[in-house]
Amino acid sequence: MHLPINHRKRPLWRALAGVAAVCLLVFGLLGVIATSGRPFLDDAAGPVLGLHTSPALAWLSLLLGAAALLGAIVGGNTAMVLHFGTGAVTLLGGLAALALLETPVNTLGLDVTGCVPAFVVGAILLTAGLYGRTGAPREAVAEEVLRHSTRPGDKFAVEPHAEP
């Protein structure tokens, strides 16, 4: 897989990931406050910011938001890994919630209105992770040449990490 190195829109995606991380943090923090004193897998908790939550979901949102915000603050390849990971977990969590909506396994009391924000936040974080790779300018040029070469024997086809 060829991920761009030092992409020109990397700062934009890093800022969007920071906004998404703050949204996760706010939801998680308000959820932890609203569900304090309830059992961890309680599905009878009330809505927070219009979304249904439970203590487990609130703590998960808080942890994912903290990891994503750490990535937005630190930057670099650390941000790429943290944003890609938190985005994947959020997207997969939204898909799992959607698949388990009307089953007895839905112990968190999830509903469709909670899946949609999970998809949006997960897509933002995942995309930020895809565009967050950093490297030396020489690596970025080699990657661009590799991405735009037309055939394997082309005179512009070089390995991304080849020494000149």
Side-chain angles (χ1 to χ4, degrees):
M1 174 168 44
H2 299 287
L3 298 177
I5 300 174
N6 300 339
H7 194 272
R8 59 184 162 77
K9 294 198 178 186
R10 185 173 36 95
L12 170 70
W13 284 109
R14 185 173 164 192
L16 287 173
V19 170
V22 168
C23 291
L24 276 173
L25 274 173
V26 167
F27 175 73
L29 185 62
L30 292 176
V32 166
I33 292 169
T35 61
S36 63
R38 293 188 177 270
F40 195 64
L41 295 176
D42 185 17
D43 67 344
V48 173
L49 298 176
L51 302 173
H52 190 81
T53 190
S54 67
L57 181 62
W59 279 104
L60 180 64
S61 298
L62 194 63
L63 292 174
L64 288 174
L69 187 62
L70 177 69
I73 291 170
V74 171
N77 289 332
T78 303
M80 179 190 78
V81 171
L82 287 173
H83 291 155
F84 193 80
T86 56
V89 168
T90 306
L91 273 175
L92 291 175
L95 282 172
L98 196 60
L100 301 174
L101 280 181
E102 298 298 324
T103 65
V105 181
N106 188 7
T107 58
L108 299 179
L110 301 169
D111 54 359
V112 175
T113 59
C115 295
V116 174
F119 292 145
V120 172
V121 168
I124 290 171
L125 290 171
L126 191 67
T127 306
L130 291 174
Y131 283 100
R133 188 170 166 205
T134 59
R138 183 176 56 92
E139 290 177 290
V141 168
E143 181 67 28
E144 283 299 310
V145 169
L146 177 66
R147 286 182 54 233
H148 294 291
S149 64
T150 56
R151 57 189 177 275
D154 196 353
K155 66 179 181 178
F156 295 110
V158 284
E159 295 298 320
H161 301 290
E163 295 295 323

